[in-house]
Structure formats: structure tokens, C-alpha cells
Amino acid sequence: MKIKYKIALYYTLSAAFLLIAFATLAYYFSAQSRRAEYLDRLEYRARSIGSVIIENDQVQIGLLRKLDKTTFQDLYRETILVYNERYDLLYANVKDTAVRTQKFLLDYIKEHGQYIHTDEEGETVGVYYTEDNVSVLVLVSSFDKYGFQNLLNLRQIIGIELLVAVVLLVGIGYFFARKMMQPIDRLVEQANSINANNLQDKRVAIKGKDEIAQLGANFNTMLQRLSHSFDLQKSFVSNASHELRTPLAAIISQLQVTLAKGRSGEEYEAVLHSVLEDAEGLSELTNGLLQLAQSELNRKEFVFTPVRIDELLIDTADLVRLKRKENSKVELQFMKEPDQDTLVTCSGNESLLKVLFINLFDNACKFSEDHTARVTIDFNSRYILISVKDNGIGIAADEQDKIFEPFFRGRNAQATRGHGLGLSICKKIVQLHEGQLTVMSDPTHGTVFTVQFPHL
């Protein structure tokens, strides 16, 4: 069921329920008011009869008979019964019907002074009236013909009004639901026209300041993010294809030229060294792509355990020295001694952290004139601070915001071997560990990368 139909249905049901509840209460209180008013009338009539027939310590039934003959009967189907204290029937206005009143009923009236009863035949009121030391029991019963007729008319009117109200509520509810859903319908229509080809140019129209307008604004923000992600994906695919194609083309061309004619052993050895170098570069690129894809995973995909950062840095430094096979050095320095192991321990994934620091150390060794990475480790009340410094060529100020993008390489780094993946991998690993990676650089003092992790 569509939302606008649900809104119309819920609105109609709730409004109809309230109307029925109010109508029921109105009818109930009207019926109670009629009953109370008619019973008061019967009681007044019974006491009036008692006051008329008692005079000078005697019961004057004849006067009541004269009044009964000379006056019009006020009540519909009225029955009047008068008894003395011995329960002898003194007067009855019913002539053709045998009158029987239960003794327990007369006892009740005499004991309690009043009796009220309501049934399908009407209402009955009995009173024990005493005046001038003379007492009588008077029972008056009648059927409230006009009161019940008014209630019947009220019930019919309420029923017709409820029927008309429900019909109007259905129409009004559908009208307002459709009116309310028009902005969402327009939003859906515009969203259906958006695809990967026109994602950059399309935006949904926003009007007003309500929740639907806020939804449209959030949708436009999401489109911008998707467009940016698609652009990065296209750039990544294009750069990856180019980076993979270059060493493969070099390997193929060298082998083709070498196989074109016979070569000496020294020439074959030189070609094999060149092919090996290209193959190693291709292997590094492949590993970088795999590490980048791994860093894109969610934090929940990895196992995080307590990791001693100082011990990890020592192990990583040894790995970098073995990897570069040249006079590369990694100098580690503690800014202060930790009182507790937790001050240099963080919750992390050891494999990812090794990839992070291998890339940072390797870059520092690669761009330093003396092939040395200077690493300092410090801590404060909340974080572990690791700084990796080189004394190399630095990074241009306008490029420092771009160096964490995949395949981006600075203008002054084009002559150095690399693919531009390491820093983007580092950035994502730090984000997975809820840390922060910053850079400071100038051509005269080199570059400093600072990693900040929350410690235990």
C-alpha cells in the first residue's frame, strides 16, 4: 500500500474513532439526563399526590378521584397506586387491570422511604409520604414516550452525521495525503532520472524548509559524494591501468628486441637485470593495490589487539633495512621514557600497522639525501605520537593536500621510483585505527609525517 493511502486510511480511522467516541458519549449522557429528569418528575408527582390526599389527619381519596376525572393526564401510560401503612390499596387509576404489588416491594418503600425502577415498560417511583401523623405509600409509573422519541431522533441524526463525516474524512484525508506526498513524488521522479552518466550534472530541486526539503538536500549531498567517489574510481582505474601497462610494455619490448637476434652472455644478463627490475616494480605495484584494497575494508573486518608501538617500530625498521639493501638507516628516539606500558600501547591490527610504518620509513629513506629516516616516539595523556622525518626535497605547499590521493606524485618526485600508493594506504590505515596523520614540509628542512593513535 502506498504511503499516501496509508496516511489517508490512518487519518480517517483515527478521526472516525474520535467522532464515534464523542457521539457515543453525547448519546449516553443525553440518555442519562432524560432518565434522571423523568425520575425527578415522577417523584415530584408521587409526593404531590401524597400531599393532596392527606388532610386533617385523614386520607381524602375522593379528592384524588375528582382531580383524576377533571384534569388531563400529564404522563403517558401513567399508573398511580396509593396504599396505607397496612398495605391496603386506597386508590388505583387503572380500572380494567388487576393490580398486584409485591409485599417485599412495599416493605422496601416503607423501610427506605423511596423506590426507583426502570425497565422496558418505563420508569417507576415509589415514595413513603408522611404528613399530620398519617402515612401513605404512593407508586407512580409511566413511559417517557417523548423522551425516548427524542433519543431515537438523536440516534438517527448522529448516525447520519457520522456516515457523512466518514465519507468527508475519506475525501479530505486522501486530498491532504496526496498534497503532502507531492514533494516526495517529485523527488522520486527526479531521482529516477539520475544515473551514472549524468550524476555530475543532476540535482533534485529543493523548496521550503520542511523535512522533505532536508531530505532533498541530503540526497544532493549524497549525489556529490557519489560523484566524487566515481571520479576517484575512474581516476584510480585509469592510473592503475597506466601503471600496470608501463612495466609490462617495457618487459615485452626488451624481450622482443633481445630475441630478434643472437646476443652475447653479457647482453642477456643485462636484459635479464632490466626485466627483473621492471618485474620487481610490477610486483610492488600489485602489492600496493592489494594493500589499498585491504585498507578500504571496514574496521569490523579486522581483529584488533593491544600492540606495543615501540616494539613494532623496531621490527619495522629492520624490515625496511632488509628491503632496501642499500645504506638505508632508521634512527629511533624516545622523547621520554614511559612509566607504564599502556602509554605506548594501542588497540590495533599489527599487520596493518606494519604496512603503515614500512611505507613511511621507506619513503623517508628514499627521499633523504643520506637515506636515513629519523623516527621519534612520544606520548601524552591520551595519544601516542610517532614522527617520521626525512631531509629530502620536501613537498610543494599546493600539493600537500593531494599526496594522500591514490597515484598522485609531486612534481619534484617524478624522477624517483614509485607509484603514489603508499601515502594513500597509510592514510586509510590510520583512519581505521581512529588516529590522525598529518604532514609538514618545506624544501630546506625536509618532510615530517606525524601519526597520532589513542593509547590504552
Side-chain angles (χ1 to χ4, degrees), residues 141-313:
S141 61
S142 177
F143 182 78
D144 189 9
K145 175 181 178 181
Y146 301 106
F148 281 110
Q149 184 62 45
N150 289 334
L151 284 179
L152 178 61
N153 294 336
L154 177 62
R155 189 161 61 242
Q156 292 176 347
I157 292 171
I158 289 176
I160 294 173
E161 288 179 345
L162 287 176
L163 182 61
V164 174
V166 169
V167 174
L168 291 176
L169 285 173
V170 172
I172 295 172
Y174 177 75
F175 173 77
F176 282 113
R178 185 176 179 183
K179 199 76 175 176
M180 292 170 59
M181 293 301 296
Q182 279 182 351
I184 296 181
D185 291 338
R186 289 196 297 268
L187 183 64
V188 171
E189 183 179 354
Q190 295 177 36
N192 285 335
S193 64
I194 298 174
N195 53 50
N197 297 325
N198 59 8
L199 187 61
Q200 295 180 345
D201 303 326
K202 282 288 187 177
R203 294 292 182 271
V204 298
I206 303 173
K207 294 182 180 179
K209 297 182 180 180
D210 54 8
E211 289 82 356
I212 298 177
Q214 184 178 0
L215 175 64
N218 292 338
F219 187 79
N220 285 337
T221 303
M222 182 190 69
L223 289 179
Q224 292 177 356
R225 293 172 180 171
L226 288 175
S227 177
H228 180 66
S229 299
F230 284 170
D231 291 340
L232 289 179
Q233 186 181 33
K234 291 178 181 178
S235 175
F236 177 84
V237 173
S238 176
N239 291 327
S241 300
H242 174 73
E243 294 291 338
L244 289 170
R245 186 169 56 247
T246 300
L248 287 174
I251 291 174
I252 293 173
S253 62
Q254 290 181 79
L255 294 177
Q256 287 177 339
V257 170
T258 304
L259 293 174
K261 63 178 182 179
R263 307 284 179 177
S264 63
E266 292 79 5
E267 291 176 325
Y268 282 121
E269 184 177 356
V271 170
L272 289 176
H273 280 296
S274 178
V275 170
L276 177 60
E277 183 179 353
D278 290 334
E280 288 177 345
L282 187 60
S283 176
E284 289 180 1
L285 175 59
T286 304
N287 291 332
L289 292 175
L290 291 175
Q291 291 172 356
L292 182 62
Q294 188 181 29
S295 66
E296 294 283 356
L297 296 177
N298 191 286
R299 178 183 173 91
K300 297 179 181 179
E301 303 291 333
F302 299 97
V303 177
F304 283 72
T305 58
V307 178
R308 282 282 300 259
I309 295 299
D310 53 346
E311 296 177 356
L312 180 73
L313 293 178

Side-chain angles (χ1 to χ4, degrees), residues 41-56:
R41 188 175 179 182
L42 291 179
E43 182 182 358
Y44 175 76
R45 190 168 184 80
R47 295 188 182 278
S48 298
I49 292 173
S51 65
V52 167
I53 64 175
I54 296 177
E55 186 176 353
N56 299 325

Side-chain angles (χ1 to χ4, degrees), residues 1-11 173-182 185:
M1 182 183 293
K2 292 185 177 180
I3 294 179
K4 58 184 175 183
Y5 296 143
K6 289 184 179 180
I7 294 176
L9 178 62
Y10 295 156
Y11 168 77
Y174 177 75
F175 173 77
F176 282 113
R178 185 176 179 183
K179 199 76 175 176
M180 292 170 59
M181 293 301 296
Q182 279 182 351
D185 291 338

Side-chain angles (χ1 to χ4, degrees), residues 55 57 127 181 205 208 239 257 277 381 406 414 438 444:
E55 186 176 353
D57 290 338
V127 297
M181 293 301 296
N239 291 327
V257 170
E277 183 179 353
S381 59
Q414 297 297 325
T438 57
T444 58

